[in-house]
Amino acid sequence: MYIFEAALEYLISILVTGSFLATVAKELGVSDSLTGILSSVISLGCLFQLLSLSVRKAKVKRFVIILSIINQAFFMLLYVIPLTGAKKQIKIVLFVVLICAAYLIYNFIHPKKINWLMSLVDNSSRGAFTANKEIVSLICGMIFSFLMGALIDRFAESGKIRMAFILSAAVIFILMLLHTVTLFFTAEKKTPNIGKGNFLISVKELLKNKGVLKITCIFVFYYISNYASVPFYGTYQINELGLSLKTVSILVILGNISRILVSKLWGKYADRKSFAAMTEKCFLFLGLAQLCALFAVPSNGIIMFALYYFFYGIAMGGINSALINLIFDYVDSEKRSDSLAISQALSGLAGFLTTVCLSPLILLIQKNNNRLLGIHIYAQQICTAISLLFTVILIIYVRNVIIKKSKSI
C-alpha cells in the first residue's frame, strides 16, 4: 500500500509542478519570475513541517487521510481557476492562495506520514525498499507525464485549452480517490509517542543535537542548489527554448529511465556501504547534470536538457532516499519525525528565499534582452551556475563532515 500511495501521490505532483504548472500560470498571465516563486512554494511549504512538532499522536492514520484529501482537492482546483469568469487579478490571487494552502497542508502532515509508513519497513532493507518504491512511481510517472503532456498539447494546438484543464482536474480527482483508498488499507502501526511537550522546547532541543544539525546542513545546501535554478526551468523550456510539453515530457521520461536503472544499484550500495557514501556520489552526478543545463541555449536546448535529465535522473535515483534515510541512520527513533520536520522546514525556507532573491535577477536580465554586463546570456544560465556552486560545496561538506567524521555524529 505504501508503494501504491507513493506512486499516486507522485502522479498528482507531476500535474502541479514544472511545465504543467507553467502552462496553467501562462494561461492566467503570470510572469516568469512569479511562476518561479510559485514553483518554489513547494520549498517554502516545508517550513510548515515545523507545525507537525505540535502534533503528538500515537496513531496518525485518520489525521493523515483527512488532510491529504483537502490538500489534493486544492491541487485539483488550480485547474478550475482558469475556467472561471473572474477577473485576471482575482484568478492570480486565487491561484497563489490555493497553491500555498495546498503545500501548507501537505507539509504539515508529511513528517507524520513518512514516519508512520517508513516504520513498516525493515531497517536492514530500507535502501532496497525505497528503490523499489521509486521505480514503481517513476514507471507510472513516465507513462502518465507523456500521455498528459501530449493531450494538453493537442488541446492547446486546437484552441481548446479549457478542455485540457477540465481533463486535468478530473484526473487529479480520480487519483485523489485512489490515493485515499491506499492510505485507508495501509496497516496502522503505533508510532512513538513522546507526550504533549512544548513546541519551542522541542525545536530548541533538536537544534542542540549536533547529529541533527549536520544532516540539516545537507538539506539546506541541497535545497539552495535545487531552488536556485529548477523553478525557472519550466518557463525556460517553454518560452526561451521553444520546447512543447510533449517534448519536455519525453526528456523527463529519459531522466526517469536512467533513474529507474540506477535506483536498485543505489539502494544496494547504501545497504552495503552507507547512505552518507551514497549521498556524496549522487551529488557528483547532480553537478554533472547542472553543468549540462548551464550550456543549454535555443540552438542545443533539446540535446543539453536531454543530458541534464539523464544525469539528474541518476542523481535523483538516490538523493531523495538518502536524505530521509540519513535521518533514520543518525537520529533516535522517537525524534525522527521531528528531526525530519525541522530539517525540511529550514531547508525549505532556504530554498524559497533563494528563488525569491534570484527572481529580480531573472527580470533584470530579460528586460535587458538577455544581456548581463554586455554579454548575451540567459537568466536561467546564471541561476544554474549558482546551483552548480552550491552542489560543489555539498560534495566537499559530505566528504569532510559526514563521511570522514561519521563516528562522531
Side-chain angles (χ1 to χ4, degrees):
M1 287 298 102
Y2 183 14
I3 290 174
F4 292 147
E5 181 275 335
L8 291 165
E9 186 175 76
Y10 178 58
L11 296 186
I12 294 175
S13 74
I14 288 174
L15 289 177
V16 292
T17 54
S19 299
F20 287 96
L21 181 66
T23 300
V24 182
K26 183 179 180 181
E27 180 68 17
L28 293 173
V30 179
S31 66
D32 285 5
S33 60
L34 181 56
T35 300
I37 292 175
L38 288 176
S39 297
S40 69
V41 166
I42 302 169
S43 172
L44 179 65
C46 294
L47 182 63
F48 297 113
Q49 291 193 19
L50 286 176
L51 297 176
S52 70
L53 270 64
S54 62
V55 179
R56 290 292 185 265
K57 292 177 177 290
K59 295 183 177 181
V60 297
K61 182 174 180 177
R62 183 180 178 184
F63 171 74
V64 169
I65 290 176
I66 292 173
L67 291 186
S68 290
I69 292 173
I70 298 173
N71 150 243
Q72 291 165 1
F74 284 173
F75 281 144
M76 179 186 69
L77 291 176
L78 293 177
Y79 281 93
V80 176
I81 292 174
L83 305 176
T84 65
K87 294 181 179 179
K88 175 183 175 181
Q89 293 303 319
I90 294 177
K91 288 182 179 180
I92 293 177
V93 170
L94 285 174
F95 188 74
V96 172
V97 170
L98 276 176
I99 199 167
C100 288
Y103 279 111
L104 186 158
I105 296 170
Y106 171 83
N107 285 284
F108 179 56
I109 62 172
H110 184 69
K112 302 301 180 186
K113 185 186 75 172
I114 293 298
N115 194 46
W116 161 35
L117 298 177
M118 283 298 291
S119 69
L120 303 173
V121 183
D122 186 359
N123 283 332
S124 64
S125 59
R126 278 190 281 116
F129 173 80
T130 50
N132 290 331
K133 177 170 65 70
E134 284 209 351
I135 287 173
V136 173
S137 293
L138 290 169
I139 291 175
C140 294
M142 284 193 301
I143 299 171
F144 180 78
S145 62
F146 177 77
L147 291 176
M148 289 302 298
L151 283 172
I152 293 176
D153 279 342
R154 192 167 186 175
F155 280 121
E157 291 169 1
S158 61
K160 299 178 181 178
I161 191 66
R162 291 174 64 86
M163 186 61 67
F165 292 153
I166 293 173
L167 173 65
S168 298
V171 169
I172 292 178
F173 179 74
I174 294 171
L175 292 173
M176 177 183 71
L177 293 180
L178 294 174
H179 180 263
T180 302
V181 170
T182 60
L183 285 176
F184 182 81
F185 284 106
T186 300
E188 184 169 20
K189 181 177 180 180
K190 188 175 181 180
T191 54
N193 186 6
I194 59 176
K196 293 183 178 179
N198 180 279
F199 175 79
L200 294 177
I201 292 177
S202 297
V203 173
K204 188 176 180 180
E205 288 179 352
L206 287 171
L207 292 176
K208 286 182 178 180
N209 188 311
K210 291 183 179 180
V212 173
L213 286 178
K214 288 180 179 180
I215 302 303
T216 297
C217 285
I218 298 177
F219 276 78
V220 170
F221 287 136
Y222 169 65
Y223 269 63
I224 292 175
S225 172
N226 196 51
Y227 282 89
S229 56
V230 174
F232 302 109
Y233 283 163
T235 55
Y236 187 48
Q237 292 166 342
I238 292 175
N239 298 332
E240 283 84 354
L241 301 184
L243 304 180
S244 66
L245 272 177
K246 184 178 180 179
T247 300
V248 173
S249 295
I250 292 174
L251 295 179
V252 171
I253 287 173
L254 173 64
N256 285 341
I257 290 174
S258 66
R259 186 171 174 176
I260 289 170
L261 293 176
V262 301
S263 286
K264 272 188 171 294
L265 296 177
W266 282 134
K268 290 178 180 179
Y269 180 82
D271 287 335
R272 187 175 72 255
K273 297 287 186 178
S274 70
F275 280 100
M278 184 184 81
T279 302
E280 181 196 25
K281 304 300 184 296
C282 289
F283 286 145
L284 286 170
F285 282 101
L286 177 62
L288 191 55
Q290 291 166 342
L291 190 62
C292 294
L294 180 63
F295 293 102
V297 293
S299 61
N300 64 12
I302 292 180
I303 295 174
M304 298 312 293
F305 262 99
L307 291 172
Y308 165 80
Y309 280 114
F310 175 74
F311 290 119
Y312 186 75
I314 294 176
M316 294 309 296
I319 287 178
N320 286 338
S321 170
L323 292 178
I324 293 175
N325 280 291
L326 282 175
I327 294 287
F328 277 74
D329 275 351
Y330 298 116
V331 180
D332 294 335
S333 59
E334 69 273 11
K335 295 181 180 179
R336 286 172 180 170
S337 176
D338 290 351
S339 298
L340 180 62
I342 199 166
S343 293
Q344 293 197 322
L346 294 178
S347 58
L349 178 61
F352 177 77
L353 292 177
T354 299
T355 303
V356 170
C357 290
L358 289 177
S359 290
L361 178 63
I362 293 281
L363 286 174
L364 177 64
I365 296 175
Q366 289 180 339
K367 286 182 179 179
N368 289 327
N369 295 319
N370 294 316
R371 289 187 176 275
L372 181 65
L373 301 177
I375 302 173
H376 188 276
I377 193 168
Y378 290 97
Q380 288 85 349
Q381 290 178 295
I382 298 296
C383 294
T384 302
I386 296 172
S387 291
L388 182 57
L389 173 63
F390 276 93
T391 298
V392 172
I393 293 173
L394 263 172
I395 294 169
I396 296 172
Y397 178 85
V398 173
R399 161 58 57 177
N400 292 283
V401 178
I402 305 299
I403 296 178
K404 288 186 177 181
K405 300 180 180 180
S406 59
K407 292 183 180 180
S408 64
I409 296 181

